[in-house]
Amino acid sequence: MARWGMVIDLDKCTGCQACSTACQMENNRLPGENYQDVLYYTEGKQPTPVLKWFPRPCMHCEEPSCMHVCPTKATFKTEDGVVLIDWNKCIGCKYCMIACPYGVRFYTDEKPLVEPDIKSVFPGEGDLSWNPPYKGPQQDNAHGVGIQPHGVVSKCTFCYHKISKAPKGIADLSNDDAANREYVPACVRTCAPTARYFGDLDNPNSNVSRLISDKRGVRLLDHTGNKPQVYYLSGGAGPAVPSGRGGANKA
Amino acid sequence: MSAQQVKGPVNAAMMAGVAALVIGGGLALASLMSNGHAAFNTGSSGITWGLPVVGYVFFVLTSTGLTFVASLAMVFGIKEFYPVAKRCIWLALVTLIAGFTCLALELGHPFRMLWAIPTSFQYLSPLNWMGLFYAAYMVLLLLKFQKINGGDWNSSGSRMLGIASFASVVVAHGTLGGVFGAMAMRPMWYGPIIPLYFLLTAAVSGAAFAVLITYLTYGNESFMPAKVKNLMTGAMPKVFAAALGIVILAVVSRTIIGLWSNADGLQVWDHVVASPWYWIELILMIAAFVMLAKGGAPFFPSIMVIVSLFIGRYEFLISGQAVPLFKGSWVTGLIDYVPSMTEWMIILLAVGIVLAGWAFGEKSLNLAAEPAEK
Ligand code: SF4
Ligand code: SF4
């Protein structure tokens, strides 16, 4: 079984937000509920401030704290390493939003970020929070895919509706592989400078595994112990500095 | 023991309680039905757990504390506390229901919770255990109250129920502490001592409510039966002051450690101490402590402590989330949050439940009862 993971090369990322836009379209997200976002921030003060940007999907952690705190097991990890939410079981307690160190989860019943409220312009039917004129993937509540229902939490699924259909045993899902392009997650598919890679972290020959070892991929906030399955490459800057204190790892 | 001994403003409390229940409940439900949780000022890029969760923590920990006070007599055999024991058990039930009400109105799917938590049983989740133990505690409290209401204080069954409800609430409040204390990614909350901190503040909260309600029942000390008066001028203020003193030390120590440490997330402490609310919280506590230590009546200190603890719970809950996690330019600086009117109405509803529930008990359940002298 594959263990899906992502590599993002920060040296290639231009901060263009094409990935975020593709994700919004693919998964019917509204402003402020970005499964995938490129965050802009300033580091340092005058006279040497630096504008930075940082692409941030869900990390699909190896040790997902969001899953551990979920009292209903609505948040779960699939056999192929993807962290998903079963919308039929989620009670909207939002404990997972508290426990995720990366701020990647969204409750939908909130004050709208932009006016007019798009959800009231396209009101949803039944339990669904809205009814967009264009709908992406097939509704699959058990995997948290589709239009978000009221009262539950959502997050990036690594485009589970696509990757779960990929041929078994495949090492990487990339645009270079014409036959399997359909299964590539939307953000990876659309990234113009090819800053994003997606593949099987457990396969030593996959492109993602090679990139992580050759270019010394690092994980965000490794000290939390969540062990993201999203790795970042940054000009080989990660390397000699251990990201944790080393030693014993939780099994 | 009967209604004519009750000289305090029980009828007024009943009316105020029902009014708060109707107004708070009516407005909160109307707003939630038309807007859903968009009626809250909480948000995915903002504060996730808002004022209703503050209310939940405040009321369930008060319930915990009230059970501690009753247990002084019923579990630990300190007989001086018998005259308030039944009232405390009843009030523990009422505050627990008030707390659960706040939480239910905050959940996306409160009814789904009833089956989804027990059937899934995520043993890793502190919330799962908290639900389990608070539910058990509620059942045990009900049974215990039923026993003593029937005059059975000391049969072995009744004693076992007392011990079991005490034990269940110690564990329940501990798991509630764990809900926050286990969050390493939120350093303001993180730490193995948090359940203990909750235990202490719960005890103080329970003592404050026990005092307040006793004074409200009798009007003032001159109308209190001798035993109640002895308790309110003797053991009660002493226990109250001792617990309060430790809480003050805990608050000060948390503040100093928070201000000193560099861990990302603790920068919120600068903001906490810059707020006048923090100082109001601290000064009320210290003033109440001084008043109690000087041997004054515990009535005003109880009110001061209740206000202070509510501010403290708010500060704990909201500040723990105020440093944004990877929100980039969506949120620059700390997250702003002011509770919405709907959120306040939920608190008003909970206050209504407590007032009306207490007044109902006082009028019809003979809360002043105590075991017959042997
Ligand atoms: S990034 Fe957050 S939501 Fe995603 S798996 Fe990790 S803890 Fe869960
Ligand atoms: S909000 Fe839903 S997914 Fe998140 S912890 Fe609660 S039940 Fe689980």
Side-chain angles (χ1 to χ4, degrees):
Chain A
M1 196 46 97
R3 189 166 60 89
W4 295 117
M6 191 179 282
V7 171
I8 305 178
D9 189 338
L10 296 178
D11 284 346
K12 283 189 181 173
C13 170
T14 61
C16 69
Q17 293 278 28
C19 48
S20 310
T21 311
C23 175
Q24 302 272 70
M25 294 305 290
E26 182 71 33
N27 293 296
N28 304 292
R29 305 311 295 167
L30 287 171
E33 327 177 315
N34 312 55
Y35 282 176
Q36 151 60 44
D37 202 351
V38 181
L39 303 172
Y40 291 86
Y41 55 102
T42 330
E43 274 191 354
K45 293 195 185 111
Q46 287 293 357
T48 52
V50 186
L51 174 69
K52 295 195 168 177
W53 58 92
F54 183 71
R56 186 241 57 204
C58 165
M59 307 288 153
H60 294 272
C61 306
E62 273 172 50
E63 292 284 344
S65 44
C66 58
M67 175 178 98
H68 296 155
V69 301
C70 175
T72 63
K73 291 191 178 160
T75 294
F76 64 102
K77 198 156 169 78
T78 62
E79 277 191 342
D80 45 1
V82 181
V83 177
L84 297 175
I85 304 166
D86 181 345
W87 282 336
N88 299 320
K89 279 171 107 181
C90 173
I91 59 171
C93 67
K94 304 173 220 93
Y95 196 12
C96 52
M97 298 173 67
I98 293 285
C100 167
Y102 306 105
V104 309
R105 291 179 157 251
F106 304 93
Y107 194 59
T108 186
D109 305 71
E110 293 177 352
K111 298 232 150 60
L113 196 72
V114 293
E115 297 283 356
D117 181 5
I118 298 164
K119 285 182 210 143
S120 58
V121 177
F122 302 104
E125 283 154 25
D127 210 18
L128 302 183
S129 58
W130 69 305
N131 185 17
Y134 162 79
K135 279 198 210 58
Q138 210 72 41
Q139 192 75 19
D140 178 3
N141 282 5
H143 293 93
V145 171
I147 313 288
Q148 183 168 353
H150 284 294
V152 299
V153 168
S154 65
K155 68 167 198 65
C156 154
T157 65
F158 265 175
C159 284
Y160 200 69
H161 53 287
K162 290 166 161 262
I163 61 168
S164 57
K165 300 202 182 84
K168 301 289 162 243
I170 194 165
D172 290 280
L173 291 173
S174 104
N175 285 338
D176 298 340
D177 175 2
N180 296 308
R181 207 173 276 160
E182 240 342 280
Y183 313 123
V184 178
C187 57
V188 180
R189 179 94 192 259
T190 202
C191 178
T194 328
R196 288 175 178 253
Y197 305 85
F198 191 82
D200 181 0
L201 296 174
D202 277 352
N203 182 337
N205 296 316
S206 67
N207 195 20
V208 282
S209 295
R210 290 222 179 99
L211 282 167
I212 292 166
S213 61
D214 293 354
K215 296 201 168 178
R216 297 172 175 173
V218 290
R219 307 191 277 201
L220 184 60
L221 292 190
D222 229 359
H223 68 270
T224 62
N226 273 39
K227 301 189 181 166
Q229 284 172 205
V230 173
Y231 287 75
Y232 292 93
L233 310 178
S234 56
V241 186
S243 56
R245 66 178 77 181
N249 275 325
K250 218 163 125 197
Chain B
M1 297 291 175
S2 60
Q4 68 262 31
Q5 273 199 355
V6 170
K7 293 273 194 290
V10 176
N11 286 327
M14 179 60 116
M15 283 194 283
V18 171
L21 234 158
V22 171
I23 296 172
L27 291 179
L29 285 181
S31 160
L32 283 173
M33 299 232 248
S34 54
N35 301 315
H37 282 144
F40 289 3
N41 284 348
T42 49
S44 298
S45 292
I47 298 296
T48 307
W49 280 347
L51 187 63
V53 181
V54 175
Y56 165 71
V57 174
F58 177 78
F59 285 111
V60 298
L61 285 180
T62 298
S63 170
T64 304
L66 285 160
T67 297
F68 288 169
V69 175
S71 300
L72 287 175
M74 297 190 314
V75 176
F76 298 102
I78 307 176
K79 294 211 167 55
E80 287 99 312
F81 285 87
Y82 265 126
V84 295
K86 186 175 177 189
R87 185 170 293 123
C88 284
I89 293 287
W90 175 250
L91 210 59
L93 262 174
V94 170
T95 45
L96 188 63
I97 291 168
F100 282 164
T101 305
C102 291
L103 189 68
L105 293 176
E106 201 269 348
L107 289 179
H109 287 285
F111 295 110
R112 188 178 287 175
M113 167 187 75
L114 298 177
W115 63 262
I117 294 188
T119 56
S120 313
F121 209 82
Q122 171 55 288
Y123 71 94
L124 290 169
S125 172
L127 213 60
N128 172 46
W129 292 104
M130 181 195 81
L132 186 77
F133 286 116
Y134 267 114
Y137 165 62
M138 174 135 156
V139 172
L140 290 166
L141 261 188
L142 261 171
L143 293 175
K144 176 73 192 179
F145 186 81
Q146 201 190 20
K147 284 266 182 215
I148 55 180
N149 200 35
D152 172 9
W153 289 75
N154 281 318
S155 72
S156 65
S158 180
R159 292 189 71 85
M160 284 312 293
L161 276 174
I163 294 170
S165 39
F166 175 73
S168 66
V169 80
V170 169
V171 184
H173 105 277
T175 49
L176 175 56
V179 166
F180 299 98
M183 296 298 101
M185 65 298 288
R186 308 245 178 208
M188 162 101 183
W189 292 343
Y190 177 59
I193 303 299
I194 291 297
L196 213 57
Y197 179 71
F198 274 26
L199 183 129
L200 276 171
T201 50
V204 168
S205 191
F209 268 84
V211 168
L212 175 68
I213 295 295
T214 306
Y215 272 84
L216 286 184
T217 302
Y218 296 104
N220 64 48
E221 281 150 21
S222 57
F223 294 115
M224 288 180 190
K227 278 196 211 157
V228 178
K229 190 171 169 184
N230 285 346
L231 177 63
M232 287 297 136
T233 52
M236 191 67 176
K238 290 206 186 90
V239 172
F240 190 11
L244 183 57
I246 306 177
V247 167
I248 294 171
L249 289 180
V251 170
V252 171
S253 112
R254 270 176 59 80
T255 311
I256 292 172
I257 301 281
L259 286 171
W260 192 89
S261 306
N262 270 342
D264 198 14
L266 288 182
Q267 57 271 49
V268 75
W269 276 102
D270 295 330
H271 175 75
V272 169
V273 297
S275 155
W277 289 108
Y278 173 81
W279 296 102
I280 295 173
E281 174 198 350
L282 199 60
I283 288 166
L284 283 176
M285 268 192 200
I286 294 173
F289 178 77
V290 171
M291 286 162 77
L292 288 169
K294 281 187 159 172
F299 176 64
F300 285 111
S302 76
I303 297 177
M304 290 154 71
V305 165
I306 289 169
V307 173
S308 168
L309 283 173
F310 191 84
I311 299 174
R313 301 273 184 244
Y314 184 95
E315 175 190 284
F316 181 87
L317 242 294
I318 305 303
S319 310
Q321 307 166 62
V323 180
L325 285 170
F326 297 99
K327 295 299 173 192
S329 49
W330 291 109
V331 189
T332 50
L334 292 180
I335 297 168
D336 283 331
Y337 168 74
V338 179
S340 71
M341 198 40 96
T342 310
E343 292 173 77
W344 279 114
M345 287 302 116
I346 290 176
I347 301 298
L348 186 65
L349 165 65
V351 171
I353 291 174
V354 174
L355 277 178
W358 163 66
F360 169 80
E362 211 62 67
K363 287 164 93 72
S364 4
L365 294 169
N366 189 18
L367 297 185
E370 50 179 316
E373 301 275 356
K374 287 222 178 91

mmCIF file of all heavy atoms in Angstrom, chain A residues 38-59:
data_model
loop_
_atom_site.group_PDB
_atom_site.id
_atom_site.type_symbol
_atom_site.label_atom_id
_atom_site.label_comp_id
_atom_site.label_asym_id
_atom_site.label_seq_id
_atom_site.Cartn_x
_atom_site.Cartn_y
_atom_site.Cartn_z
ATOM 1 N N VAL A 38 -1.410 29.795 -0.022
ATOM 2 C CA VAL A 38 -0.030 30.296 0.057
ATOM 3 C C VAL A 38 -0.081 31.470 1.018
ATOM 4 O O VAL A 38 -0.765 32.464 0.769
ATOM 5 C CB VAL A 38 0.524 30.726 -1.309
ATOM 6 C CG1 VAL A 38 1.966 31.207 -1.153
ATOM 7 C CG2 VAL A 38 0.478 29.562 -2.293
ATOM 8 N N LEU A 39 0.602 31.317 2.135
ATOM 9 C CA LEU A 39 0.544 32.341 3.173
ATOM 10 C C LEU A 39 1.632 33.362 2.936
ATOM 11 O O LEU A 39 2.777 33.015 2.646
ATOM 12 C CB LEU A 39 0.740 31.690 4.542
ATOM 13 C CG LEU A 39 -0.258 30.586 4.858
ATOM 14 C CD1 LEU A 39 0.136 29.867 6.137
ATOM 15 C CD2 LEU A 39 -1.666 31.150 4.972
ATOM 16 N N TYR A 40 1.253 34.619 3.061
ATOM 17 C CA TYR A 40 2.231 35.697 2.936
ATOM 18 C C TYR A 40 2.499 36.272 4.305
ATOM 19 O O TYR A 40 1.579 36.426 5.092
ATOM 20 C CB TYR A 40 1.690 36.791 2.014
ATOM 21 C CG TYR A 40 1.601 36.318 0.594
ATOM 22 C CD1 TYR A 40 0.479 35.636 0.138
ATOM 23 C CD2 TYR A 40 2.674 36.510 -0.267
ATOM 24 C CE1 TYR A 40 0.419 35.153 -1.148
ATOM 25 C CE2 TYR A 40 2.619 36.029 -1.561
ATOM 26 C CZ TYR A 40 1.493 35.353 -1.999
ATOM 27 O OH TYR A 40 1.443 34.874 -3.269
ATOM 28 N N TYR A 41 3.725 36.535 4.580
ATOM 29 C CA TYR A 41 4.037 37.158 5.861
ATOM 30 C C TYR A 41 5.365 37.906 5.755
ATOM 31 O O TYR A 41 6.145 37.681 4.835
ATOM 32 C CB TYR A 41 4.063 36.134 6.995
ATOM 33 C CG TYR A 41 4.991 34.971 6.772
ATOM 34 C CD1 TYR A 41 6.223 34.924 7.398
ATOM 35 C CD2 TYR A 41 4.630 33.914 5.928
ATOM 36 C CE1 TYR A 41 7.075 33.857 7.192
ATOM 37 C CE2 TYR A 41 5.466 32.855 5.715
ATOM 38 C CZ TYR A 41 6.693 32.831 6.338
ATOM 39 O OH TYR A 41 7.546 31.784 6.126
ATOM 40 N N THR A 42 5.567 38.794 6.694
ATOM 41 C CA THR A 42 6.791 39.581 6.699
ATOM 42 C C THR A 42 7.628 39.151 7.884
ATOM 43 O O THR A 42 7.105 39.023 8.981
ATOM 44 C CB THR A 42 6.466 41.080 6.861
ATOM 45 O OG1 THR A 42 5.205 41.320 6.279
ATOM 46 C CG2 THR A 42 7.517 41.938 6.223
ATOM 47 N N GLU A 43 8.889 38.933 7.622
ATOM 48 C CA GLU A 43 9.786 38.632 8.732
ATOM 49 C C GLU A 43 10.801 39.743 8.859
ATOM 50 O O GLU A 43 11.205 40.345 7.875
ATOM 51 C CB GLU A 43 10.504 37.292 8.492
ATOM 52 C CG GLU A 43 9.670 36.135 8.983
ATOM 53 C CD GLU A 43 10.426 34.821 9.027
ATOM 54 O OE1 GLU A 43 11.576 34.753 8.576
ATOM 55 O OE2 GLU A 43 9.812 33.849 9.502
ATOM 56 N N GLY A 44 11.220 40.007 10.067
ATOM 57 C CA GLY A 44 12.183 41.086 10.292
ATOM 58 C C GLY A 44 11.480 42.433 10.325
ATOM 59 O O GLY A 44 10.288 42.545 10.039
ATOM 60 N N LYS A 45 12.245 43.448 10.733
ATOM 61 C CA LYS A 45 11.667 44.788 10.878
ATOM 62 C C LYS A 45 12.393 45.748 9.947
ATOM 63 O O LYS A 45 13.454 45.426 9.421
ATOM 64 C CB LYS A 45 11.879 45.267 12.319
ATOM 65 C CG LYS A 45 11.090 44.479 13.341
ATOM 66 C CD LYS A 45 11.059 45.245 14.665
ATOM 67 C CE LYS A 45 10.380 44.421 15.731
ATOM 68 N NZ LYS A 45 11.270 43.956 16.771
ATOM 69 N N GLN A 46 11.852 46.931 9.805
ATOM 70 C CA GLN A 46 12.546 47.975 9.059
ATOM 71 C C GLN A 46 13.942 48.172 9.670
ATOM 72 O O GLN A 46 14.051 48.122 10.892
ATOM 73 C CB GLN A 46 11.761 49.289 9.149
ATOM 74 C CG GLN A 46 10.499 49.311 8.332
ATOM 75 C CD GLN A 46 10.750 49.265 6.828
ATOM 76 O OE1 GLN A 46 11.893 49.273 6.365
ATOM 77 N NE2 GLN A 46 9.677 49.179 6.063
ATOM 78 N N PRO A 47 14.991 48.358 8.954
ATOM 79 C CA PRO A 47 15.017 48.549 7.499
ATOM 80 C C PRO A 47 15.254 47.251 6.720
ATOM 81 O O PRO A 47 15.567 47.320 5.549
ATOM 82 C CB PRO A 47 16.215 49.490 7.342
ATOM 83 C CG PRO A 47 17.154 49.043 8.433
ATOM 84 C CD PRO A 47 16.307 48.543 9.560
ATOM 85 N N THR A 48 15.121 46.080 7.368
ATOM 86 C CA THR A 48 15.415 44.851 6.621
ATOM 87 C C THR A 48 14.257 43.860 6.651
ATOM 88 O O THR A 48 14.468 42.693 6.942
ATOM 89 C CB THR A 48 16.668 44.164 7.206
ATOM 90 O OG1 THR A 48 16.487 44.019 8.613
ATOM 91 C CG2 THR A 48 17.929 44.905 6.905
ATOM 92 N N PRO A 49 13.059 44.312 6.398
ATOM 93 C CA PRO A 49 11.967 43.333 6.385
ATOM 94 C C PRO A 49 12.043 42.469 5.128
ATOM 95 O O PRO A 49 12.546 42.919 4.093
ATOM 96 C CB PRO A 49 10.720 44.215 6.367
ATOM 97 C CG PRO A 49 11.162 45.455 5.674
ATOM 98 C CD PRO A 49 12.612 45.647 6.010
ATOM 99 N N VAL A 50 11.607 41.242 5.245
ATOM 100 C CA VAL A 50 11.587 40.358 4.083
ATOM 101 C C VAL A 50 10.174 39.849 3.899
ATOM 102 O O VAL A 50 9.563 39.332 4.846
ATOM 103 C CB VAL A 50 12.522 39.148 4.310
ATOM 104 C CG1 VAL A 50 12.615 38.307 3.048
ATOM 105 C CG2 VAL A 50 13.895 39.609 4.764
ATOM 106 N N LEU A 51 9.659 39.997 2.684
ATOM 107 C CA LEU A 51 8.349 39.429 2.385
ATOM 108 C C LEU A 51 8.553 37.966 2.017
ATOM 109 O O LEU A 51 9.375 37.644 1.167
ATOM 110 C CB LEU A 51 7.678 40.178 1.231
ATOM 111 C CG LEU A 51 6.362 39.549 0.768
ATOM 112 C CD1 LEU A 51 5.275 39.701 1.811
ATOM 113 C CD2 LEU A 51 5.913 40.118 -0.559
ATOM 114 N N LYS A 52 7.799 37.093 2.673
ATOM 115 C CA LYS A 52 7.955 35.675 2.382
ATOM 116 C C LYS A 52 6.611 35.076 2.046
ATOM 117 O O LYS A 52 5.565 35.642 2.349
ATOM 118 C CB LYS A 52 8.523 34.966 3.608
ATOM 119 C CG LYS A 52 9.919 35.408 3.959
ATOM 120 C CD LYS A 52 10.543 34.435 4.923
ATOM 121 C CE LYS A 52 12.029 34.739 5.031
ATOM 122 N NZ LYS A 52 12.674 33.865 5.999
ATOM 123 N N TRP A 53 6.663 33.937 1.434
ATOM 124 C CA TRP A 53 5.416 33.212 1.217
ATOM 125 C C TRP A 53 5.660 31.743 1.455
ATOM 126 O O TRP A 53 6.799 31.273 1.352
ATOM 127 C CB TRP A 53 4.843 33.469 -0.170
ATOM 128 C CG TRP A 53 5.760 33.112 -1.292
ATOM 129 C CD1 TRP A 53 5.821 31.930 -1.943
ATOM 130 C CD2 TRP A 53 6.728 33.971 -1.901
ATOM 131 N NE1 TRP A 53 6.782 31.976 -2.926
ATOM 132 C CE2 TRP A 53 7.346 33.214 -2.924
ATOM 133 C CE3 TRP A 53 7.119 35.292 -1.697
ATOM 134 C CZ2 TRP A 53 8.344 33.744 -3.727
ATOM 135 C CZ3 TRP A 53 8.121 35.808 -2.504
ATOM 136 C CH2 TRP A 53 8.716 35.037 -3.502
ATOM 137 N N PHE A 54 4.578 31.072 1.771
ATOM 138 C CA PHE A 54 4.725 29.697 2.223
ATOM 139 C C PHE A 54 3.487 28.894 1.852
ATOM 140 O O PHE A 54 2.402 29.140 2.373
ATOM 141 C CB PHE A 54 4.922 29.709 3.747
ATOM 142 C CG PHE A 54 5.166 28.347 4.315
ATOM 143 C CD1 PHE A 54 6.360 27.691 4.075
ATOM 144 C CD2 PHE A 54 4.198 27.710 5.071
ATOM 145 C CE1 PHE A 54 6.588 26.430 4.581
ATOM 146 C CE2 PHE A 54 4.421 26.444 5.584
ATOM 147 C CZ PHE A 54 5.626 25.806 5.339
ATOM 148 N N PRO A 55 3.642 27.940 0.917
ATOM 149 C CA PRO A 55 2.483 27.132 0.520
ATOM 150 C C PRO A 55 2.145 26.100 1.589
ATOM 151 O O PRO A 55 3.039 25.434 2.100
ATOM 152 C CB PRO A 55 2.953 26.446 -0.772
ATOM 153 C CG PRO A 55 4.425 26.568 -0.793
ATOM 154 C CD PRO A 55 4.874 27.596 0.203
ATOM 155 N N ARG A 56 0.876 25.986 1.919
ATOM 156 C CA ARG A 56 0.494 25.164 3.068
ATOM 157 C C ARG A 56 -0.789 24.362 2.838
ATOM 158 O O ARG A 56 -1.877 24.879 2.979
ATOM 159 C CB ARG A 56 0.329 26.085 4.287
ATOM 160 C CG ARG A 56 0.081 25.397 5.580
ATOM 161 C CD ARG A 56 -1.273 25.798 6.171
ATOM 162 N NE ARG A 56 -2.345 25.512 5.223
ATOM 163 C CZ ARG A 56 -3.513 26.107 5.206
ATOM 164 N NH1 ARG A 56 -3.766 27.066 6.042
ATOM 165 N NH2 ARG A 56 -4.457 25.773 4.340
ATOM 166 N N PRO A 57 -0.638 23.079 2.482
ATOM 167 C CA PRO A 57 -1.813 22.196 2.454
ATOM 168 C C PRO A 57 -1.951 21.543 3.834
ATOM 169 O O PRO A 57 -1.242 21.917 4.759
ATOM 170 C CB PRO A 57 -1.398 21.139 1.423
ATOM 171 C CG PRO A 57 0.092 21.048 1.572
ATOM 172 C CD PRO A 57 0.588 22.399 2.050
ATOM 173 N N CYS A 58 -2.871 20.599 3.978
ATOM 174 C CA CYS A 58 -2.851 19.750 5.180
ATOM 175 C C CYS A 58 -1.622 18.862 5.069
ATOM 176 O O CYS A 58 -1.264 18.412 3.990
ATOM 177 C CB CYS A 58 -4.106 18.899 5.258
ATOM 178 S SG CYS A 58 -3.981 17.545 6.453
ATOM 179 N N MET A 59 -0.957 18.640 6.181
ATOM 180 C CA MET A 59 0.296 17.886 6.180
ATOM 181 C C MET A 59 0.078 16.373 6.194
ATOM 182 O O MET A 59 1.027 15.611 6.130
ATOM 183 C CB MET A 59 1.142 18.270 7.402
ATOM 184 C CG MET A 59 1.375 19.748 7.536
ATOM 185 S SD MET A 59 2.527 20.337 6.300
ATOM 186 C CE MET A 59 2.019 22.034 6.138
#
